[in-house]
Amino acid sequence: MTTPAVIIHGGFFSELTTSQETKTAKQNALRHIIRQTWAFLQTHSALETTIFACTLLEDDPLFNAGTGSQIQSDGVIRMSASICDGESQKFSGVINIENVKNPILVAEKLLSREDRILAGEGALNFAREQGFGPFDTRTELRIQDYEQKKSELVKTGTVGCVALDHQGRLAASTSTGGKGFEIVGRVSDSATVAGNYANAFCGVSTTGVGEDIVNGAVAAKIVTRVTDGMSLQQAVDKTFKELLPFDGFAGIIAIDHQGNMMQKDSHPNIVYAMKNAGTEEIFG
Ligand code: GLY
């Protein structure tokens, strides 16, 4: 039996002005969610657990995923989410899906399909076929952000979870409302292997500027390096060093097959929480 571990993140701060009140509220939300997720992991697989955690994070309007997602330049919310099951080595995701409550649950339905990443209208049609009804994920705060049109500010919230279960299986899930005010059609990293990846050796979920994360192939590189024998610390450090030439803006959470948990960010302040049998820590 493996000693299980779980780590979640609520992205970088994505509000136009981040107050101490918001910061505390996010930390409290993460504390609540990591405890629920930890309890869930005791009787569920890593895969089920990461999906469970992302659903809770998507439902909390404090975070930029599901309810509370950022609004794109044309006033519409389009969300992206993906799941990577380290055991079966299957990846599924939705890109730029509109008007559903939990994009991560639509991605889950795709795990068992041959076509596993769907975008835009196709993703929405699939969701409706699967019984996901219409849901408006706008919140007052995001509408205010949008109306102020402060697109020059970094808006990089995303949510994610990586888990290692009692059987030693790893999984990673990530969900985002994007960076806010993006050109219609822009594709986030969150439903790519740069933003979310896992295999039998390591799982990684990222947050940050999607373009930088894709440029650095961040999650896939870290997982590959651990698979090839590097320690998690070395793999993360090397991958972040490779972001420096273009000032890549990224943050990650990761767990390896030995239960080592890690977080790293290139810029302040990713909010995250980690838990195993011995520790519970909330940061950000
Ligand atoms: N990392 C989220 C995004 O850039 O869309």
Side-chain angles (χ1 to χ4, degrees):
M1 289 284 271
T2 309
T3 305
V6 64
I7 182 164
I8 59 175
H9 72 80
F12 287 94
F13 289 114
S14 56
E15 294 72 26
L16 290 175
T17 52
T18 299
S19 62
Q20 184 56 42
E21 197 183 350
T22 303
K23 194 171 166 173
T24 305
K26 284 191 171 182
Q27 288 167 346
N28 288 339
L30 287 188
R31 185 173 294 106
H32 191 58
I33 292 172
I34 194 84
R35 289 180 183 169
Q36 283 178 273
T37 303
W38 175 252
F40 190 87
L41 180 60
Q42 305 317 307
T43 51
H44 294 83
S45 70
L47 175 65
E48 291 165 329
T49 301
T50 62
I51 296 164
F52 174 78
C54 276
T55 306
L56 296 179
L57 289 160
E58 284 178 341
D59 287 345
D60 191 323
L62 282 171
F63 302 108
N64 176 22
T67 301
S69 287
Q70 298 275 9
I71 300 173
Q72 298 196 341
S73 55
D74 63 344
V76 174
I77 290 177
R78 297 179 185 85
M79 302 164 286
S80 299
S82 73
I83 298 165
C84 193
D85 178 19
E87 188 188 25
S88 63
Q89 195 65 85
K90 280 186 180 173
F91 185 99
S92 66
V94 289
I95 294 173
N96 288 331
I97 192 167
E98 294 174 37
N99 209 16
V100 293
K101 184 167 182 275
N102 293 109
I104 200 75
L105 296 179
V106 184
E108 182 185 19
K109 294 280 182 200
L110 285 162
L111 260 184
S112 56
R113 306 294 282 245
E114 198 180 320
D115 300 327
R116 269 186 265 118
I117 305 175
L118 297 180
E121 196 183 339
L124 181 58
N125 291 342
F126 174 79
R128 294 286 184 263
E129 276 166 31
Q130 296 294 314
F132 294 94
F135 190 87
D136 185 354
T137 55
R138 281 176 302 178
T139 61
E140 200 49 50
L141 178 65
R142 298 305 184 200
I143 293 167
Q144 278 170 22
D145 281 3
Y146 174 75
E147 283 170 358
Q148 287 178 43
K149 295 186 167 54
K150 296 273 179 69
S151 57
E152 70 281 7
L153 289 187
V154 175
K155 300 173 186 172
T156 49
T158 290
V159 303
C161 177
V162 181
L164 173 70
D165 65 25
H166 285 278
Q167 276 73 46
R169 298 170 297 199
L170 284 156
S173 293
T174 302
S175 182
T176 190
K179 62 180 180 180
F181 233 84
E182 55 268 76
I183 298 171
V184 176
R186 181 251 184 192
V187 172
S188 163
D189 63 293
S190 296
T192 73
V193 297
N196 186 66
Y197 200 58
N199 68 8
F201 295 89
C202 185
V204 177
S205 168
T206 74
T207 178
V209 175
E211 287 70 12
D212 294 353
I213 293 165
V214 170
N215 286 343
V218 172
K221 255 192 206 170
I222 294 169
V223 171
T224 303
R225 285 173 167 156
V226 173
T227 305
D228 289 347
M230 262 191 201
S231 71
L232 180 58
Q233 178 85 52
Q234 286 172 325
V236 169
D237 288 348
K238 187 167 170 58
T239 304
F240 271 73
K241 206 169 163 194
E242 290 166 355
L243 295 174
L244 293 177
F246 53 94
D247 192 27
F249 193 124
I252 62 100
I253 55 170
I255 305 180
D256 69 15
H257 60 295
Q258 294 170 319
N260 296 306
M261 292 186 280
M262 227 191 125
Q263 174 277 341
K264 191 172 175 87
D265 44 26
S266 61
H267 298 69
N269 281 311
I270 175 176
V271 284
Y272 70 102
M274 54 171 67
K275 192 161 171 58
N276 62 18
T279 61
E280 175 186 284
E281 298 187 48
I282 317 290
F283 296 94

